[in-house]
Amino acid sequence: MEHEIEAAPTTLGNAKGKQTPFCNLVASAAITPKLHISKAPTAIVYCEGNFSKIDGKTANGLVRHSQAYRIVSVVDSEYGGSDSGQILDGIINNVPIFPTLEAAVIHEPAIPNTMIYGMAPSTGKLSQTDRDVVLDAIALGMNIVSGLHEYLSDDTEIAMFAKSKGVTIRDIRKPKLSKDMRLFDGSVADVHAVRIAVLGTDCAIGKRTTATVLAHALNALNIKTVLVGTGQTGLMQGAIYGVAMDAVPPQFCCGELEGAIVAASDGEQPDVILIEGQGALSHPAFCTSAFILRGSQPDAVILQHAPERVHRCDFPDMPMPDPATEIALIESFADTKVIGLTINHEGMSEAAITTAITAYSQRLELPVTDALVCPTEHLVQFVLSAFPELHQKPEVAAE
């Protein structure tokens, strides 16, 4: 990911594909919102060898934004001694990176409450090295949070050791019993909030980050917005409503997501409900996008794409799709409309970002932006242009 991006003008296409000057490509702390809650439990995020990389997306997301935990440090020997915000986004956030768990713990005045396993390997399993680190954290009295498909609470050695130390293991992906799951019943149609799904052309492409930035920006305009999580990272970050979709039996996926959306509607009475995407509808390895479209019945979709990504993540022989084909597939699969394209600028220079935004806007006749390096107003405009009735919400007066 490009870190130091200097200011430069570029363009944003409107719904008709016309170009207007819009963007200064400069990173800002306001673009990567992060809520510090002093009473939240402290946590070290373990991400050995993967921080700022695709398989480190859980750690990346937690460093950018976390409500459920106060992230005090990251463990990755490749970046030991660095600032995690500087490595990830070119913005100092004062969350240091240490080479080992021991070094991270010694740095704190008290042993942190939790160690979060901050990686999402394609295998979904714990390596022997990582297993030893988990046991070390338990020995120190730290609770464990994991988003792996391999449930640590079902591992006899880890579970018994945790019990002996009086600590908890939270397996984010561990689903509830089938008898407690719900089937789709169509009640999502009674939800009055505008429902927008943030989908992508691949996995690990920034859908959750874009959705988080958009949720913060809309709420800042007094457009009450709730983000429904569909993966382990969003739930770790503190999403009140959501379900780890890839851990739910297929027959219940649509119903469980529908239930989370209905609960968000009933509990919060929001103007907008954003639904975090997973995988890609066109990706043969994942079915989650299909379940998300069916279960949420979205009024609109925002699509995330990485122009410089040559092949699908973890599939070197599978070329990335063109956004135009993904849009056509989404709109033919579901009764919805793609209202804008967002760019993941991994491997892109300032000039390449500018060129991509202009080219995609003209070709797709859609607004295009980058949620992390362009002003959030442009992402918000996707929503306000598609749903002008939201303009009627009075803005909160500045304090």
Side-chain angles (χ1 to χ4, degrees):
M1 178 177 287
E2 195 76 11
H3 300 309
E4 300 292 345
I5 304 178
E6 298 177 357
T10 182
T11 55
L12 173 68
N14 60 24
K16 299 297 182 182
K18 296 180 181 179
Q19 302 298 312
T20 54
F22 85 107
C23 184
N24 286 328
L25 294 175
V26 56
S28 165
I31 295 174
T32 54
K34 182 181 173 190
L35 185 60
H36 295 277
I37 303 176
S38 59
K39 293 184 179 180
T42 54
I44 293 172
V45 182
Y46 177 73
C47 194
E48 175 57 32
N50 283 287
F51 186 68
S52 81
K53 300 175 184 177
I54 288 175
D55 281 355
K57 66 178 186 177
T58 295
N60 303 341
L62 288 165
V63 163
R64 288 186 172 123
H65 170 73
S66 178
Q67 291 176 281
Y69 300 94
R70 181 164 63 88
I71 307 303
V72 296
S73 63
V74 174
V75 173
D76 185 346
S77 60
E78 290 189 13
Y79 293 113
S82 302
D83 179 273
S84 61
Q86 183 68 41
I87 295 297
L88 189 61
D89 294 313
I91 307 166
I92 293 175
N93 66 0
N94 297 311
V95 176
I97 304 176
F98 293 97
T100 64
L101 176 65
E102 180 183 13
V105 170
I106 291 173
H107 179 263
E108 298 302 317
I111 294 176
N113 175 274
T114 301
M115 190 193 84
I116 301 174
Y117 187 86
M119 292 175 281
S122 58
T123 62
K125 297 181 179 180
L126 197 67
S127 71
Q128 184 57 53
T129 298
D130 295 348
R131 181 186 185 86
D132 291 341
V133 174
V134 168
L135 291 171
D136 287 343
I138 293 173
L140 291 168
M142 300 175 71
N143 298 310
I144 305 296
V145 175
S146 169
L148 293 169
H149 287 289
E150 175 186 7
Y151 307 138
L152 302 188
S153 59
D154 288 345
D155 183 296
T156 302
E157 180 188 16
I158 291 175
M160 290 184 65
F161 191 39
K163 184 177 181 180
S164 72
K165 292 295 183 178
V167 303
T168 62
I169 298 174
R170 183 186 176 199
D171 284 308
I172 300 294
R173 273 194 169 114
K174 192 171 187 178
K176 55 190 175 184
L177 297 175
S178 296
K179 69 180 181 63
D180 298 321
M181 293 183 183
R182 75 191 295 281
L183 295 168
F184 183 86
D185 61 16
S187 56
V188 72
D190 297 325
V191 171
H192 297 298
V194 172
R195 299 186 301 282
I196 301 173
V198 182
L199 305 183
T201 54
D202 195 10
C203 62
I205 206 167
K207 299 179 285 288
R208 185 196 64 258
T209 297
T210 291
T212 300
V213 171
L214 179 56
H216 277 259
L218 289 172
N219 277 309
L221 294 175
N222 198 33
I223 298 171
K224 190 172 183 180
T225 302
V226 175
L227 174 56
V228 172
T230 59
Q232 76 275 12
T233 305
L235 297 176
M236 286 182 192
Q237 288 175 321
I240 298 173
Y241 304 96
V243 57
M245 295 285 288
D246 60 1
V248 176
Q251 73 188 95
F252 296 110
C253 278
C254 295
E256 283 293 292
L257 178 58
E258 179 186 47
I261 292 169
V262 171
S265 176
D266 292 343
E268 308 296 332
Q269 298 296 307
D271 304 302
V272 176
I273 295 176
L274 298 177
I275 301 98
E276 175 195 4
Q278 296 292 325
L281 185 60
S282 63
H283 202 310
F286 305 105
C287 294
T288 39
S289 286
F291 292 132
I292 287 169
L293 285 167
R294 293 298 196 221
S296 68
Q297 300 285 296
D299 300 297
V301 168
I302 292 172
L303 184 68
Q304 178 103 355
H305 179 64
E308 291 300 310
R309 189 177 292 189
V310 177
H311 59 79
R312 307 267 201 178
C313 178
D314 295 323
F315 292 87
D317 297 325
M318 194 180 295
M320 284 286 289
D322 185 273
T325 62
E326 194 76 25
I327 290 169
L329 180 61
I330 290 168
E331 294 183 345
S332 62
F333 183 84
D335 183 16
T336 192
K337 183 73 176 176
V338 175
I339 60 172
L341 180 76
T342 48
I343 295 294
N344 175 327
H345 59 256
E346 62 185 29
M348 298 178 72
S349 65
E350 173 188 327
I353 297 169
T354 303
T355 299
I357 289 175
T358 303
Y360 283 125
S361 179
Q362 292 175 338
R363 183 159 65 87
L364 301 174
E365 296 189 336
L366 285 172
V368 182
T369 191
D370 183 317
L372 285 181
V373 299
C374 296
T376 54
E377 289 85 350
H378 308 133
L379 185 58
V380 168
Q381 197 57 45
F382 287 11
V383 178
L384 297 183
S385 294
F387 303 98
E389 64 272 19
L390 294 172
H391 278 290
Q392 298 172 6
K393 290 287 296 182
E395 293 188 13
V396 175
E399 296 183 359

